Amino acid sequence: MKVLVVGGGGREHALVWKLKQSPRVKEIFCAPGNAGIASLARCVPIGAEDISGLVAFARQEKIDLTVVGPEGPLTMGIVDSFNEAGLAIFGPNARAAAIEGSKVLAKELMAKYGIPTARFATFSDAGEAVAYIRQLNAPCVVKADGLAAGKGVVVCRTVEEALEAVGDIMVKGVFGAAGSRVVVEEYLTGQEVSILAFTDGKTVIPMLPAQDHKQVYDGDQGPNTGGMGAYAPAPVCTPEVYQTALEKILIPTVRAMAAEGRPYRGVLYAGLMVTDEGAKVLEFNARFGDPEAQPVLMLLETDLVEIIEAVLSGRLAEKEIRWRPGAAVCVVLASAGYPGPYRKGYPISGLDRVPPDVMVFHAGTALEDGRVVTAGGRVLGVTAAAGTIAAAIEKAYAAVEQIHFEGMHYRRDIGRKALSASKIR
Ligand code: AMP
Ligand code: GLY
């Protein structure tokens, strides 16, 4: 079959890498892709949000299956457009992807169906949000309703910070229409875990639990990023947390979406905080996480094409999903300045010195005169699997040492929380 992957980051490189291993896949395309993806797939210069361009390409090339990486095209309705054109595509349609596209919708759904989450209220009036913040007190969290490139969540230590966040989002409109409504919620403490699940709208099969590292510096310091690294499986997801996530969160959410006339098919990502009172939902995403997909897909043994076909035909219940033993770690190498402004175009050296069983998934790279150069904030995701988390960490960091580009920075503690957790047990 001919497969098209939509997107051009580290997650999409991992998706292409995994899909290409399927004996069913004869030819693979990626739109728009990047320099790393170009070594596995034919990259086509169509933007991930150019939905009519993608439909036209899929028709012309007679693509048998399209797999969507990012949330933008999903919330814009790429799945609806492909379905109308009679083209097979994996992901939720626009009404279902709204679980990520509108935080107000996600929170109201959780409240209505008793799915555990932080206490909250939603506002379309800045004055009312301010009054609620004064009553709730700090710390609290202010979230823009819509998509804001991962920047729409402000964790506020003081009431003043929260009022400023409301001013920025609702009055100044720094995120545009995405900020016309906000969620204000209680601040939760604990460890975070990402549980992604495959679902055909009836059956829910979780993947291995993963942990992201959102802050830019070691020890979870500094501003939030798109994710500086991830590993799986995450020991913070004990059997109890796993059961809660499945029975109180993932299954009820899939049922609730169906009951609301938003049947959900694809990957449902639950971002959870494991608190003293159990796991609570921080957010839902309508797709694979980036960088969680990199370690999780490295450990997936089952053919991803077969899983996707089971989802599309509504027969996921018949599918058994197998995982490799051990653990995998992804260390993100970022440009100087990221998550703030950064420069692009620096040559990357040492990629040829990385051992073949370590995958360097490209996030923001481009080819310039035959050389691989930096082209984004997150540049590479060095991903290694091994029998234990400690061995996977060592293997990933040994490969990181081979790679260099001007201003390269990365966290040195990816996966460390898993080590301390396994010592406690
Ligand atoms: P979100 O995009 O909703 O996952 O938020 C981004 C990050 O903000 C999360 O990964 C958490 O680190 C943090 N966050 C979001 N909501 C809360 C909350 N209620 N309490 C504490 N931290 C939160
Ligand atoms: N790693 C967080 C996300 O993909 O949203």
Side-chain angles (χ1 to χ4, degrees), residues 49 71-73 75-76 100-102 144-150 152 175 178-179 285:
E49 298 191 353
E71 63 278 14
T75 54
M76 288 163 68
E100 172 166 6
S102 168
D145 176 44
L147 294 182
F175 304 124
N285 291 323

Side-chain angles (χ1 to χ4, degrees), residues 99 109-110 115 249-258 268 284:
I99 199 167
L109 184 91
M110 289 186 271
I115 294 159
I249 296 171
L250 290 165
I251 293 173
T253 300
V254 167
R255 289 215 181 109
M257 289 295 279
L268 180 63
F284 285 114

Side-chain angles (χ1 to χ4, degrees), residues 9 19 39 57 61 108-109 112 130 137 147 162 171 195 218 228-229 272 277 329 336 382 389:
L19 290 164
S39 66
F57 175 79
E61 280 293 336
E108 284 173 351
L109 184 91
K112 180 168 172 189
V130 164
N137 224 328
L147 294 182
V171 184
I195 305 190
D218 286 9
M228 292 297 287
L272 308 181
E277 297 170 1
V329 173
V382 181
I389 182 80

Side-chain angles (χ1 to χ4, degrees), residues 39 50 85 115 118 122 130-132 135 144 162 164 174 193-195 203 260-261 280 322 338 348 353 365 405 407:
S39 66
D50 177 1
I115 294 159
T122 66
V130 164
Y132 181 75
Q135 177 204 329
E164 197 182 317
V174 293
V193 60
S194 308
I195 305 190
T203 301
E260 294 291 309
K280 295 187 181 181
R322 292 180 310 279
Y338 176 78
I348 302 171
R353 290 197 293 273
T365 65
F405 56 84

Side-chain angles (χ1 to χ4, degrees), residues 193-196 206-211 231-238 242 296:
V193 60
S194 308
I195 305 190
L196 287 68
M207 304 183 211
L208 292 178
Q211 193 168 47
Y231 65 90
V236 59
C237 185
T238 58
Y242 182 88
V296 168

Side-chain angles (χ1 to χ4, degrees), residues 106-422:
K107 292 294 288 193
E108 284 173 351
L109 184 91
M110 289 186 271
K112 180 168 172 189
Y113 291 89
I115 294 159
T117 188
R119 274 190 299 136
F120 74 100
T122 66
F123 301 96
S124 49
D125 178 276
E128 286 174 20
V130 164
Y132 181 75
I133 287 167
R134 290 197 192 284
Q135 177 204 329
L136 184 69
N137 224 328
C140 66
V141 185
V142 179
K143 302 183 173 186
D145 176 44
L147 294 182
K151 299 199 175 106
V153 173
V154 191
V155 176
C156 309
R157 275 162 304 174
T158 62
V159 167
E160 288 66 39
E161 276 176 33
L163 300 186
E164 197 182 317
V166 168
D168 287 345
I169 297 172
M170 301 188 84
V171 184
K172 286 192 201 146
V174 293
F175 304 124
S180 60
R181 293 190 294 174
V182 296
V183 173
V184 178
E185 70 179 30
E186 163 199 24
Y187 175 78
L188 300 175
T189 51
Q191 265 203 61
E192 284 181 47
V193 60
S194 308
I195 305 190
L196 287 68
F198 294 106
T199 180
D200 59 2
K202 299 173 296 207
T203 301
V204 177
I205 305 185
M207 304 183 211
L208 292 178
Q211 193 168 47
D212 190 7
H213 298 63
K214 291 231 162 79
Q215 288 92 347
V216 66
Y217 303 126
D218 286 9
D220 294 339
Q221 301 298 309
N224 268 352
T225 69
M228 292 297 287
Y231 65 90
V236 59
C237 185
T238 58
E240 294 91 307
V241 171
Y242 182 88
Q243 279 311 315
T244 310
L246 186 60
E247 288 164 15
K248 301 237 155 59
I249 296 171
L250 290 165
I251 293 173
T253 300
V254 167
R255 289 215 181 109
M257 289 295 279
E260 294 291 309
R262 299 174 185 272
Y264 195 100
R265 252 185 300 167
V267 170
L268 180 63
Y269 166 136
L272 308 181
M273 185 74 90
V274 181
T275 73
D276 292 342
E277 297 170 1
K280 295 187 181 181
V281 177
L282 292 175
E283 64 165 344
F284 285 114
N285 291 323
R287 51 174 173 80
F288 282 100
D290 189 346
E292 291 95 326
Q294 289 85 318
V296 168
L297 290 173
M298 195 172 249
L299 294 171
L300 177 61
E301 197 173 283
T302 307
D303 186 331
L304 182 55
V305 172
E306 285 180 17
I307 300 173
I308 290 174
E309 286 186 330
V311 167
L312 295 184
S313 61
R315 307 172 99 182
L316 190 59
E318 295 165 23
K319 192 84 209 139
E320 194 208 339
I321 297 184
R322 292 180 310 279
W323 298 93
R324 294 180 212 289
V329 173
C330 169
V331 179
V332 170
L333 309 183
S335 294
Y338 176 78
Y342 53 84
R343 291 214 203 153
K344 304 179 191 179
Y346 295 113
I348 302 171
S349 64
L351 292 171
D352 51 346
R353 290 197 293 273
V354 171
D357 65 335
V358 175
M359 277 309 301
V360 180
F361 293 120
H362 290 220
T365 65
L367 277 171
E368 224 176 74
D369 305 326
R371 284 187 319 182
V372 180
V373 300
T374 65
R378 292 191 290 177
V379 177
L380 302 167
V382 181
T383 311
T388 63
I389 182 80
I393 292 172
E394 210 173 297
K395 198 164 157 187
Y397 279 103
V400 166
E401 299 217 333
Q402 303 300 319
I403 301 170
H404 178 79
F405 56 84
E406 177 80 32
M408 170 176 123
H409 71 96
Y410 56 93
R411 279 181 62 158
R412 286 158 211 270
D413 63 348
I414 304 300
R416 198 174 287 165
K417 278 186 203 146
L419 292 178
S420 42
S422 50

